[in-house]
Amino acid sequence: MVANGLRFNNLTTHQLCSLTRASLLTGLNAHSAGVGWVAEGNPGFPGYAGEIQSNVVTLAEILRSNGYSTLLTGKWHLTQTYDRTATASLNSWPLQRGFEHLFGFLDGLEHPQTPHILYEDNTPISVDRYPKNFLTTDYWTEKAIALLKQAKTKSKDKPFFLYFANNAVHSPFNIHSADLAKYKGKFDVGWDVLRQQRYQKQLTSKLIPADTQLPPPNPGVKAWNTLSAEDKKLFALPSWNLLRRK
């Protein structure tokens, strides 16, 4: 499916998630969108409001006004803490920023197995007990599929925009044991070799220009072959590497 679509490779990311999400959804520098810091603090300056400002248009708003179904499953984290209650202002919630439907959460962190609160559209949903083997990754995926089926049932020719924002690679980190087992031994070659392999794959897939040079490792990163056997064993664990990729 991806091979038949478009891959974008020129997104300017920021150092934190809220900022990057704001840029992704507006096409602006995060400060210009009003999210110069994570959506938990508001020092009173326009560029650090922690919410996409009302004079900034989101991609969802543009697409919805042009006849798209606009759907979101997963993480939002573009609403200030004091606005994350049903009795507060909903102006910065997804449905007020261009999305028709939401299945997800508003906070920056949520537990993969036992999320403390979920949201359906503008309605908070509290769950007393989650089923065995519940995982938010599965939940977002199931809800995304259901929303797409619903949209296509209403109008099969109507285009859609699905914003799938997984929290799977954000702490707290948990996945199904079977999924974790698939990566056993994948990182044994060490980060130097893996870094070179991924660089070559990006060149081959033309994700980066052919003349792109691989920069030197960050200061303080030791060469893999200088580590002790004990450290190699630790850093090659799938759980450590998958978390490190965030």
Side-chain angles (χ1 to χ4, degrees), residues 67-78:
Y68 277 68
S69 294
T70 52
L71 317 168
L72 189 161
T73 61
K75 179 178 174 179
W76 178 241
H77 201 206
L78 289 170

Side-chain angles (χ1 to χ4, degrees), residues 30-37 41-51 53 80 82:
H31 298 81
S32 299
V35 192
W37 189 245
N42 182 356
F45 302 106
Y48 295 88
E51 299 180 345
Q53 298 299 279
Q80 268 290 349
Y82 48 71

Side-chain angles (χ1 to χ4, degrees), residues 31-97:
H31 298 81
S32 299
V35 192
W37 189 245
V38 290
E40 270 74 37
N42 182 356
F45 302 106
Y48 295 88
E51 299 180 345
I52 296 176
Q53 298 299 279
S54 58
N55 64 336
V56 175
V57 180
T58 70
L59 175 60
E61 289 170 330
I62 294 172
L63 292 177
R64 187 174 183 180
S65 67
N66 282 275
Y68 277 68
S69 294
T70 52
L71 317 168
L72 189 161
T73 61
K75 179 178 174 179
W76 178 241
H77 201 206
L78 289 170
T79 295
Q80 268 290 349
T81 306
Y82 48 71
D83 281 337
R84 296 177 199 165
T85 66
T87 57
S89 170
L90 306 184
N91 290 339
S92 62
W93 286 34
L95 265 65
Q96 283 61 245
R97 297 315 317 252

Side-chain angles (χ1 to χ4, degrees), residues 178-191:
D179 292 328
L180 187 62
K182 293 189 297 184
Y183 293 92
K184 185 176 182 180
K186 297 288 186 180
F187 306 105
D188 290 352
V189 294
W191 49 59

Side-chain angles (χ1 to χ4, degrees), residues 7 9 199-210 212:
R7 291 190 299 177
N9 65 352
Y199 164 67
Q200 292 296 335
K201 186 174 181 179
Q202 290 178 46
L203 288 174
T204 302
S205 65
K206 298 182 180 180
L207 190 63
I208 57 177
T212 302

